[in-house]
Amino acid sequence: STDATESTDPSVSVTEIAWDELAEKTGIDIEFEVNTETNKFIISLIWTNKLDTAAPFGTTYLLDAFQNETELSTSDMTSDEFGALLVAVDPNGTMTLTLRFDLVDNSPVTVKVGDAYTNTYFSTFTYDLTAVG
């Protein structure tokens, strides 16, 4: 992987972060699972707030999943799960959340993580569904 590099667009100040450095640099640790019975792409998210102030994950970071450039929905997300995204986490505190995305087909899933304030993605990972047993 490459080291973090600044964007070439001078209007964008978000730094690209290699996927394998995501947890170290942002505190975001992600694991993936596919449930073929329910046709869901499941993301288990653990976030340790590395900021100097308390902040909610949902207003600090973006986390989206796509298939063929179409954003996947989280149709079965409960109000409690959605609310957890908006609960402030103290510095060095941790939150855990499971997100279930509705799969469209068997094409690869691209997961993008970004800065919610600038609405800009800084890290991308592609998960090949055909590799699932």
Side-chain angles (χ1 to χ4, degrees), residues 27-75:
I28 301 170
D29 189 17
I30 297 174
E31 292 184 9
F32 304 112
E33 178 184 341
V34 176
N35 184 324
T36 54
E37 290 179 20
T38 60
N39 206 34
K40 301 280 185 192
F41 183 74
I42 303 165
I43 294 178
S44 298
L45 167 72
I46 300 171
W47 177 51
T48 300
N49 182 356
K50 292 189 168 210
L51 304 172
D52 294 334
T53 60
F57 181 87
T59 59
T60 306
Y61 294 107
L62 302 170
L63 191 153
D64 296 314
F66 301 84
Q67 279 186 301
N68 297 317
E69 299 183 26
T70 300
E71 188 170 355
L72 301 180
S73 70
T74 55
S75 63

Side-chain angles (χ1 to χ4, degrees), residues 1 16-23 28-34 41-44 62-70 72 101 103 107-114 121-132:
S1 76
E16 292 292 320
I17 299 174
W19 190 261
D20 59 354
E21 297 176 341
L22 196 61
I28 301 170
D29 189 17
I30 297 174
E31 292 184 9
F32 304 112
E33 178 184 341
V34 176
F41 183 74
I42 303 165
I43 294 178
S44 298
L62 302 170
L63 191 153
D64 296 314
F66 301 84
Q67 279 186 301
N68 297 317
E69 299 183 26
T70 300
L72 301 180
F101 294 90
L103 292 169
S107 64
V109 175
T110 300
V111 177
K112 297 182 179 186
V113 177
Y121 296 113
F122 54 70
S123 195
T124 301
F125 180 82
T126 300
Y127 187 92
D128 184 1
L129 293 177
T130 61
V132 176

